């Protein structure tokens, strides 16, 4: 599983594609429908938790522990990794 897909919202359907980058919060698809280049973000998400909700672009509350991390969106719940 790559960094963009790492972690799951508890109430998220596995078939839904994220609309926003979990690292920078920018749309994954540009205005013309062309995919944006988020390769640097994907590499960073392999090492650290997402900072933005991939569904609504809200900033998440992130807690890092020695055993993993949790990222909480006020609208979409908790993601763990």
């Amino acid at each position: 599983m790559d960094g963009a897909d790492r972690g799951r919202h508890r109430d998220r359907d596995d078939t839904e594609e994220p609309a926003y980058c979990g690292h920078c919060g920018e749309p994954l698809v540009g205005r013309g429908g062309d995919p944006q280049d988020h390769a640097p973000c994907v590499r960073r998400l392999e090492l650290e938790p997402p900072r933005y909700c991939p569904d609504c672009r809200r900033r998440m509350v992130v807690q890092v522990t020695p055993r993993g991390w949790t990222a909480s969106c006020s609208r979409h719940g908790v993601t763990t990794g």
Side-chain angles (χ1 to χ4, degrees):
M1 170 174 5
D2 67 356
D5 293 326
R6 210 170 116 225
R8 287 257 184 259
H9 283 293
R10 288 184 185 158
D11 61 349
R12 184 177 181 165
D13 182 6
D14 287 341
T15 60
E16 291 181 50
E17 290 294 322
Y20 301 101
C21 176
H23 178 71
C24 69
E26 294 300 315
L28 293 176
V29 178
R31 289 184 181 174
D34 298 326
Q36 301 280 344
D37 181 25
H38 286 275
C41 296
V42 170
R43 286 193 299 274
R44 296 210 46 189
L45 286 170
E46 290 173 356
L47 301 173
E48 59 188 53
R51 304 296 175 175
Y52 292 89
C53 178
D55 295 323
C56 65
R57 199 179 188 183
R58 285 183 171 82
R59 192 94 158 115
M60 295 195 291
V61 176
V62 177
Q63 182 176 10
V64 179
T65 64
R67 293 185 173 202
W69 54 263
T70 60
S72 178
C73 172
S74 62
R75 298 286 191 259
H76 297 102
V78 176
T79 303
T80 60

